């Protein structure tokens, strides 16, 4: 690989490190609530190694290297450099790489799925690690994959047969996408849930079979009657091979997680929380996703807790097949003042939903009003921290029991020092800087509640039973004919739409936010009324301008050689930018006057948001939603392929986007420790690479 291409993969220098401020909110808790938070925080972070194993083969080794090297000098990095003869700059490069690694829980970016490598030369890092026998031993085993950028396809997460990396399919370089997809279809037919699994292709003595690795403390099924071996279809690509269920993936971590959840149950506020934790613990002990689904039912019913929690194999963005979940867990405190606005949004949701561009036949029979809170994060274990969450992701629970929305306040408000605002007009700077926070809060609220929370999945819920009038099915507004497709028993939105499901749904939710984001009564709820200092029309303008800018910045996450998108949300935002550009009459334009596009700028005509922008978004949103509702994977896939295709003009802007990209924020989170008097101590760390590393070492996972 050329030096210029290799430079693209170098770790951010300097990285953007922010501290999640939590002390005032944690201090307001009673001792019992602090203990509840402590044990679930421990349970969440004890899954850190699980997340790393889901990213790359070398990630866990890199983590061990960082921790051991810190311990070998008690965190005195300056002394390590002096002792080993490594320059201050190269020590700094190592710390920056380590911080980036910990912030992403692996050596592939959580936002983009692209590998990054250290700026410290390999021979200089070898000097550092030589200080510790253990570190040196670890480094010798993983130095190749730490620094390697060849072959280039392995710098992206994805299907192994496309040359990419995915440890959702461990030690299986020859497993194909066709095999993975065929096994997923078999699993649907046999009611085998995939979220807490990995899949291996194993060949021994010229005999090939597949192992479905199930995350559990137990290494054997709990029932002698459980089927643990299946005969797969005889035709290609599975060729009649065996599928064996293998328990005990991440066994040590699952046992520790379950133990901490059992301790947390001693401090639960009510029976609902106790039942929730009991099901969580059962799920991680025995590998039961049915138990995890039960935990989510209790979680949805636990309305308004002072300490909000959730954990498990949740989001499927990083599995190239889009069905296996990444480990994550969070603990947060409710911000009651910020929550009031979201409560009003929920209270009035039923008057907003009919405004969306699809008929009642394609909307849930009853809107199940969720708990919607603004949270201040104590702990968020995983490969990245979102600004908002709408879970559970299990379709049957969402459709019948409900869901919760949360906005993560201290994530939204975390400011990066000296962040540069790129690609907008100079005359927009002041307003953009002032209102991007409020505009994003409106966007997150609508995205989570009315984006992810709306839309009916037309389904055959069990053989012969339907949640719509099967004898007289609704008219598809896109064709004018009766609907011809729906979800069959055992099918879910994710299993039908597969690898595009996550990004497609994020796009749908973002479009809902854009479509409703200018409605005066909604803006009034957030405090932007006719009499407020901040005017609603200004917030709306920044909502649309922010989305257009995000769509342009998304080009960083598009790989021109493979034509592959690396991040679900950014792929979605790019497609919305294309929708803006195609709205006509110069509603949005992107212009530059230099060959290298160094002065590239977005211009959005705010006078045309209502006349051009909103109608264009509405037409796109209707298609996205109808295809999803009726399980029309062919139509939805074709639409999304068209709207996310990068043409030559947009591809030409990618280099300047990369040139001006800003490092993504890495968050330093607090730790909690048990005190001798039975209380809980909170410890926060400096917003530096050193502070981020120290927080992980003291987490002791």
């Amino acid at each position: 690989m050329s030096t210029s291409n290799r430079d693209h993969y170098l770790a951010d220098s300097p990285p953007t490190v922010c501290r999640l401020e939590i002390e005032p909110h944690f201090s307001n808790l009673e001792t019992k609530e602090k203990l509840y938070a402590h044990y679930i925080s421990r349970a969440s972070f004890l899954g850190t190694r699980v997340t790393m194993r889901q990213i790359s083969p070398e990630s866990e080794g890199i983590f061990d290297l960082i921790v051991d090297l810190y311990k070998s000098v008690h965190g005195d990095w300056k002394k390590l450099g002096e002792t080993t003869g490594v320059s201050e700059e190269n020590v700094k490069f190592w710390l920056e790489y380590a911080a980036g690694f910990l912030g992403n829980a692996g050596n592939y970016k959580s936002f983009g799925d692209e590998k990054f490598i250290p700026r410290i030369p390999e021979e200089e890092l070898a000097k550092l690690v030589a200080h510790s026998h253990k570190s040196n031993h670890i480094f010798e085993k993983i130095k190749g994959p730490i620094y390697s950028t060849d072959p280039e396809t392995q710098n992206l997460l994805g299907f192994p047969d496309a040359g990419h990396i995915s440890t959702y399919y461990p030690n299986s370089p020859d497993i194909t996408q066709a095999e993975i997809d065929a096994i997923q279809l078999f699993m649907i037919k046999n009611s085998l849930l995939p979220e807490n699994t990995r899949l291996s292709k194993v060949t021994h003595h010229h005999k090939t079979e597949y192992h479905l690795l199930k995350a559990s403390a137990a290494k054997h099924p709990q029932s002698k009657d459980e089927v643990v071996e299946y005969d797969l279809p005889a035709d290609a690509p599975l060729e009649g091979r065996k599928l064996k269920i293998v328990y005990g993936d991440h066994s040590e971590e699952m046992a520790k997680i379950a133990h901490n959840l059992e301790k947390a149950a001693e401090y639960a506020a009510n029976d609902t929380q106790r039942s929730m934790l009991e099901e969580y613990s059962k799920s991680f002990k025995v590998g039961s996703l049915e138990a995890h689904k039960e935990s989510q039912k209790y979680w949805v019913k636990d309305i308004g807790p002072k300490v909000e929690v959730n954990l498990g194999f949740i989001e499927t963005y990083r599995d190239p097949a889009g069905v296996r979940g990444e480990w994550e867990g969070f603990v947060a405190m409710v911000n009651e003042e910020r929550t009031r606005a979201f409560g009003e949004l929920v209270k009035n949701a039923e008057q907003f939903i009919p405004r969306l561009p699809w008929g009642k036949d394609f909307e849930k029979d009853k809107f199940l009003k969720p708990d919607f809170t603004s949270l201040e994060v104590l702990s968020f274990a995983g490969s990245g921290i979102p600004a908002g969450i709408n879970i559970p992701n299990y379709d049957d629970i969402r459709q019948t029991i409900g869901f919760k929305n949360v906005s993560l306040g201290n994530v939204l408000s975390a400011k990066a020092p000296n962040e540069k605002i790129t690609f907008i007009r100079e005359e927009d700077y002041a307003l953009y800087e002032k209102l991007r926070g409020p505009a994003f809060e409106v966007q997150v609220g609508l995205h989570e509640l009315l984006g992810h929370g709306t839309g009916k999945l037309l389904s055959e819920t069990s053989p012969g039973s339907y949640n719509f009038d099967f004898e007289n099915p609704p008219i598809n507004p896109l064709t004018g004919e009766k609907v011809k497709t729906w979800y069959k028993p055992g099918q879910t939105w994710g299993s039908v739409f597969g690898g595009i499901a996550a990004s497609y749904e994020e796009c749908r939710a973002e479009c809902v936010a854009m479509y409703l984001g200018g409605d005066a009564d909604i803006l009034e709820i957030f405090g932007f009324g006719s009499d407020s200092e901040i005017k609603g029309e200004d917030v709306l303008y920044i909502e649309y301008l922010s989305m257009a800018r995000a769509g342009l910045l998304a080009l960083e996450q598009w790989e021109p050689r493979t034509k592959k998108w690396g991040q679900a949300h950014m792929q979605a935002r790019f497609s919305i930018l294309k929708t803006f550009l195609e709205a006509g009459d110069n509603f949005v334009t992107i212009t530059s006057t230099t060959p290298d596009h160094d002065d590239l700028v977005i211009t959005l005509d705010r006078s045309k948001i209502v006349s051009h922008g909103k109608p264009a978004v509405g037409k796109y949103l209707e298609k996205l939603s109808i295809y999803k509702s009726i399980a029309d994977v062919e139509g939805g896939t074709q639409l999304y392929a068209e709207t996310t295709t990068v043409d030559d003009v947009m591809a030409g802007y990618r280099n300047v986007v990369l040139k001006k990209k800003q490092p993504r924020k890495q968050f330093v989170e607090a730790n909690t420790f048990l005190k001798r008097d039975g209380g809980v101590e909170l410890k926060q760390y400096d917003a530096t690479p050193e502070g981020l590393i120290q927080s992980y070492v003291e987490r002791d996972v």
Side-chain angles (χ1 to χ4, degrees):
M1 178 179 289
S2 69
T3 301
S4 60
N5 284 345
R6 186 177 171 81
D7 286 351
H8 170 71
Y9 298 106
L10 294 173
D12 292 329
S13 182
T16 301
V17 181
C18 305
R19 189 165 86 166
L20 282 184
E21 300 295 344
I22 192 60
E23 198 278 331
H25 304 280
F26 188 78
S27 296
N28 287 336
L29 298 178
E30 302 292 336
T31 299
K32 180 180 177 181
E33 294 163 341
K34 290 179 179 179
L35 287 162
Y36 180 75
H38 165 76
Y39 281 110
I40 301 180
S41 173
R42 286 296 299 155
S44 298
F45 279 124
L46 282 164
T48 297
R49 290 179 178 273
V50 176
T51 307
M52 291 175 181
R53 281 180 213 134
Q54 293 176 309
I55 293 172
S56 73
E58 63 272 13
S59 283
E60 194 173 3
I62 298 172
F63 179 63
D64 289 334
L65 178 64
I66 293 167
V67 171
D68 183 74
L69 205 50
Y70 175 96
K71 289 180 176 179
S72 73
V73 291
H74 305 289
D76 190 342
W77 299 105
K78 182 178 181 181
K79 179 182 176 182
L80 178 63
E82 292 171 349
T83 302
T84 58
V86 175
S87 70
E88 285 188 19
E89 181 181 53
N90 278 324
V91 172
K92 176 178 75 77
F93 285 156
W94 163 246
L95 296 177
E96 289 172 346
Y97 174 77
F101 174 91
L102 295 171
N104 290 279
N107 60 335
Y108 285 72
K109 294 178 180 178
S110 63
F111 212 76
D113 290 345
E114 187 175 70
K115 187 175 183 177
F116 57 97
I117 61 174
R119 289 177 180 268
I120 177 175
E122 183 177 335
E123 60 272 18
E124 294 299 302
L125 182 53
K127 291 181 187 177
L128 281 182
V129 303
H131 179 78
S132 160
H133 176 74
K134 182 178 177 181
S135 291
N136 192 62
H137 179 69
I138 296 169
F139 183 64
E140 284 300 316
K141 291 196 293 185
I142 60 173
K143 63 183 180 182
I146 287 178
Y147 280 95
S148 173
T149 53
D150 290 313
E152 200 163 358
T153 53
Q154 291 195 358
N155 297 328
L156 290 172
L157 300 181
F159 286 109
D161 64 337
H164 304 309
I165 295 294
S166 178
T167 43
Y168 285 103
Y169 309 95
N171 304 311
S172 305
D174 61 338
I175 195 169
T176 67
Q177 181 178 349
E179 289 171 288
I180 293 166
D181 291 344
I183 289 174
Q184 178 57 22
L185 287 174
F186 180 85
M187 289 174 64
I188 292 170
K189 291 176 182 176
N190 288 273
S191 300
L192 296 171
L193 299 175
E195 283 86 349
N196 67 342
T197 68
R198 298 192 291 169
L199 180 66
S200 286
K201 183 178 181 180
V202 180
T203 300
H204 187 63
H205 294 311
H206 307 290
K207 181 182 178 182
T208 298
E209 60 190 24
Y210 304 95
H211 291 178
L212 190 66
L213 311 179
K214 187 167 282 197
S216 64
K219 296 186 177 180
H220 304 283
Q222 297 304 292
S223 170
K224 293 181 180 178
D225 298 327
E226 181 176 339
V227 178
V228 294
E229 187 173 304
Y230 295 84
D231 292 318
L232 293 168
D235 53 348
L238 303 179
E239 299 177 353
R241 297 166 180 151
K242 301 284 187 185
L243 175 66
K244 293 183 178 179
I245 313 300
V246 180
Y247 282 84
D249 203 17
H250 319 300
S251 176
E252 182 179 344
E253 289 78 17
M254 293 296 109
K256 291 178 180 177
I257 289 165
H259 171 72
N260 277 272
L261 293 172
E262 288 165 359
K263 293 293 293 182
E266 297 175 18
Y267 306 100
N270 52 55
D271 288 340
T272 300
Q273 288 183 357
R274 275 185 284 276
S275 296
M276 173 187 74
L277 291 170
E278 182 180 330
E279 296 293 343
Y280 271 134
S281 182
K282 178 181 177 182
S283 173
F284 304 136
K285 277 182 173 179
V286 304
S288 169
L289 274 175
E290 292 299 337
H292 193 264
K293 291 178 75 171
E294 289 301 311
S295 76
Q296 298 306 277
K297 293 176 184 177
Y298 285 116
W299 181 70
V300 170
K301 294 173 183 176
D302 185 28
I303 302 297
K306 287 188 69 175
V307 179
E308 185 63 279
V309 305
N310 200 283
L311 68 168
F313 296 89
I314 308 297
E315 302 294 354
T316 61
Y317 302 128
R318 307 191 81 182
D319 170 21
V323 296
R324 292 177 168 81
E326 183 175 88
W327 174 266
E328 68 177 47
F330 75 84
V331 180
M333 284 81 246
V334 174
N335 183 323
E336 294 182 1
E337 182 179 347
R338 279 185 168 182
T339 293
R340 290 191 191 100
F342 294 121
E344 282 298 306
L345 194 64
V346 173
K347 181 180 175 182
N348 293 282
E350 287 170 295
Q351 78 181 64
F352 304 142
I353 291 171
R355 301 176 189 176
L356 293 169
W358 56 82
K360 63 180 182 178
D361 288 330
F362 302 96
E363 188 49 63
K364 295 172 185 174
D365 300 330
K366 181 182 179 182
F367 180 69
L368 301 167
K369 290 186 177 180
D371 202 17
F372 197 162
T373 51
S374 178
L375 302 178
E376 307 295 323
V377 174
L378 167 66
S379 308
F380 202 112
S383 64
I385 307 179
I389 310 170
N390 176 286
I391 46 178
N393 290 330
Y394 301 117
D395 293 331
D396 52 345
I397 297 176
R398 295 175 64 83
Q399 296 279 322
T400 58
I401 305 294
F403 54 90
K404 281 186 182 181
N405 295 283
V406 298
S407 171
L408 304 182
N410 54 348
V411 176
L412 284 166
S413 61
K415 293 290 184 184
N418 304 317
E419 183 180 356
K420 297 176 182 177
I421 301 171
T422 53
F423 304 119
I424 65 171
R425 299 179 303 169
E426 188 173 345
E427 56 263 42
D428 287 327
Y429 281 172
L431 191 65
Y432 187 90
E433 181 62 37
K434 178 182 178 182
L435 296 186
R436 63 175 171 165
F440 192 46
E441 188 167 45
V442 174
Q443 179 187 333
V444 168
L446 292 171
H447 173 114
E448 301 297 346
L449 177 67
L450 299 177
H452 292 313
T454 56
K456 180 177 182 177
L457 303 182
L458 301 188
S459 306
E460 185 180 3
T461 53
S462 60
S465 296
Y466 301 84
N467 67 353
F468 64 97
D469 187 347
F470 178 69
E471 299 298 329
N472 187 30
I475 300 299
N476 180 341
L478 305 180
T479 63
E481 300 175 353
K482 293 180 179 180
V483 299
K484 300 174 182 177
T485 54
W486 49 83
Y487 294 87
K488 305 299 189 295
Q491 290 184 333
T492 65
W493 149 246
S495 69
V496 171
F497 277 73
I500 72 163
S503 181
Y504 187 108
E505 174 60 11
E506 294 303 331
C507 185
R508 200 184 72 86
E510 294 280 44
C511 284
V512 168
M514 291 293 100
Y515 192 72
L516 296 177
D519 288 13
D521 48 357
I522 290 176
L523 289 167
E524 183 86 42
I525 286 173
F526 286 91
F528 310 127
S530 55
D531 299 328
S532 63
E533 177 195 352
I534 297 175
K535 302 303 179 187
E537 57 265 31
D538 287 338
V539 174
L540 174 63
Y541 176 53
I542 300 305
E543 285 178 43
Y544 270 74
L545 183 58
S546 295
M547 182 59 71
R549 179 172 179 264
L552 180 63
L553 297 180
L555 288 169
E556 177 193 344
Q557 309 295 344
W558 176 74
E559 222 305 313
R561 285 170 289 278
T562 62
K563 312 295 183 186
K564 182 180 184 293
W565 283 97
Q567 210 288 326
H569 296 76
M570 298 308 273
Q571 181 180 9
R573 291 164 187 163
F574 176 80
S575 82
I576 297 173
L577 170 60
K578 280 187 69 174
T579 302
F580 289 173
L581 291 167
E582 293 167 4
D585 205 13
N586 291 326
F587 167 55
V588 169
T589 58
I590 301 175
T591 55
S592 69
T593 62
T594 60
D596 63 358
H597 304 300
D598 194 60
D599 62 349
L600 195 72
V601 68
I602 299 166
T603 302
L604 190 149
D605 188 339
R606 62 185 295 169
S607 71
K608 295 173 183 172
I609 292 175
V610 175
S611 62
H612 292 70
K614 182 175 180 177
V617 170
K619 289 178 182 177
Y620 184 34
L621 174 58
E622 180 186 36
K623 293 176 182 177
L624 289 167
S625 293
I626 296 300
Y627 287 138
K628 179 187 176 184
S629 285
I630 65 174
D632 186 352
V633 65
E634 184 177 338
T637 300
Q638 181 178 340
L639 169 71
Y640 206 52
E642 291 171 355
T643 58
T644 60
T645 293
V646 179
D647 63 22
D648 290 344
V649 173
M650 296 302 292
Y653 300 148
R654 186 172 183 269
N655 282 341
V656 74
V657 169
L658 292 175
K659 176 183 174 183
K660 297 187 177 187
K661 72 174 182 177
Q662 303 292 303
R664 189 163 172 81
K665 295 172 188 170
Q666 309 298 334
F667 294 102
V668 182
E669 302 175 57
N671 284 325
T672 56
F673 302 95
L674 295 176
K675 296 161 63 177
R676 289 183 178 179
D677 64 3
V680 180
E681 176 189 358
L682 179 79
K683 182 174 181 180
Q684 294 204 276
Y685 301 85
D686 293 338
T688 61
E690 292 90 334
L692 180 52
I693 295 166
Q694 183 184 356
S695 73
Y696 267 88
V697 173
E698 294 186 1
R699 213 159 274 152
D700 191 25
V701 296

